[in-house]
C-alpha cells in the first residue's frame, strides 16, 4: 500500500478507511500505525442535514422524488434514535428504490408503510426471507447466521467452505440468503477461498429474530469462538 503512493509527483493516493471501534487494532503493526497516523482524519457521524442529503440527493439525480417532505422527516426522526444510522438508511432506501413508482417517478408513502418504516424494514425483509425457506432450511439458516456473529455481537467473517461444511443444502441456504442481501460473499484466491459475512451490522441490532437467537445461544457462541481459535492453531501447527 505504501509503495503504491510513495512518489509525491504521482496522482495515485491511498486512502484507508476503518471503523472507529476497530481503530486500536492497527497498533498490532508498528509501521502500519506510523503510516496511518501521519494523515489520520476522524470523520464525524453524519448530522441530520447530512443524512437528509444522503437520502434525497441520489433520488433527485435519478429524476425521482419522495411523496412529501413529511415522509423524509419521519425517516430521519426514526434514524435519530439509532446508534449507527447510515447502514440502516442505506438498507431502507435500497428497498424503497426497488419498490419505486416508475410511472409517477415517485417513492411513495404506501411503499414505506408496507416495509414497516425504517424500524421494521430490516426485520420485515429478513423475516420474509426466512418464510420462503423450508423448516430444515430455516434450521440451517439459524445455524449459519449465528456463526456470522461474534460473541461481542459484531460481524464475523467466515470461510464459505467452513460455513457449509460440504453440505449442499447448507451451501444452497447461504446462496439464497446472499441473493436476498442478508449475506455478502467475497471471492478469495484459490488458497484462501471465499468468505461470508452479514451484509449490515444493523442486522444484529435491529432484527428481532436474530437477537432472540443470540440471547438463547450466548454461552454456546463464546465456547465456539474459543474452539475456532484453538482449531486454527491446531491446523497451523500441523495438527500436532
Amino acid at each position: 500500500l505504501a509503495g503504491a503512493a510513495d512518489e509525491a509527483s504521482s496522482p495515485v493516493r491511498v486512502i484507508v478507511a476503518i471503523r472507529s471501534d476497530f481503530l486500536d487494532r492497527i497498533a498490532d503493526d508498528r509501521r502500519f500505525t506510523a503510516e496511518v497516523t501521519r494523515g489520520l482524519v476522524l470523520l464525524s457521524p453524519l448530522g441530520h442535514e447530512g443524512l437528509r442529503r444522503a437520502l434525497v440527493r441520489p433520488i433527485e439525480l435519478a429524476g425521482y422524488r419522495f411523496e412529501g417532505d413529511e415522509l423524509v422527516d419521519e425517516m430521519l426522526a426514526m434514524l435519530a434514535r439509532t446508534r449507527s444510522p447510515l447502514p440502516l438508511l442505506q438498507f431502507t432506501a435500497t428497498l424503497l428504490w426497488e419498490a419505486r413508482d416508475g410511472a409517477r417517478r415517485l417513492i411513495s408513502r404506501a411503499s414505506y408503510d408496507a416495509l414497516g418504516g425504517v424500524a421494521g424494514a430490516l426485520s420485515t425483509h429478513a423475516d420474509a426471507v426466512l418464510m420462503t425457506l423450508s423448516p430444515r432450511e430455516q434450521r440451517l439458516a439459524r445455524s449459519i447466521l449465528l456463526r456470522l456473529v461474534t460473541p461481542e455481537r459484531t460481524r464475523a467473517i467466515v470461510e464459505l467452505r467452513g460455513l457449509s461444511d460440504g453440505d449442499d443444502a447448507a451451501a444452497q441456504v447461504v446462496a439464497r440468503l446472499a441473493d436476498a442481501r442478508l449475506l455478502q460473499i467475497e471471492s478469495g484466491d484459490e488458497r484462501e477461498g471465499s468468505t461470508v459475512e452479514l451484509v449490515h451490522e444493523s442486522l444484529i441490532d435491529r432484527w428481532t429474530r436474530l437477537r432472540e437467537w443470540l440471547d438463547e445461544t450466548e454461552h454456546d457462541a463464546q465456547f465456539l469462538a474459543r474452539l475456532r481459535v484453538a482449531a486454527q492453531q491446531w491446523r497451523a501447527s500441523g495438527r500436532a
Side-chain angles (χ1 to χ4, degrees), residues 71 74-75 78 88 92 95-96 108-125 206:
L71 177 55
E74 183 176 329
M75 293 179 68
M78 290 298 299
L88 189 53
T92 308
L95 295 180
L96 285 173
S108 69
R109 159 68 67 174
S111 296
Y112 179 73
D113 291 341
L115 288 176
V118 171
L122 202 56
S123 289
T124 300
H125 173 66
R206 306 292 296 188

Side-chain angles (χ1 to χ4, degrees), residues 136-147:
R136 179 170 183 260
E137 288 173 331
Q138 289 185 24
R139 290 192 295 272
L140 286 170
R142 180 182 187 272
S143 175
I144 289 165
L145 290 164
L146 287 173
R147 291 179 64 182

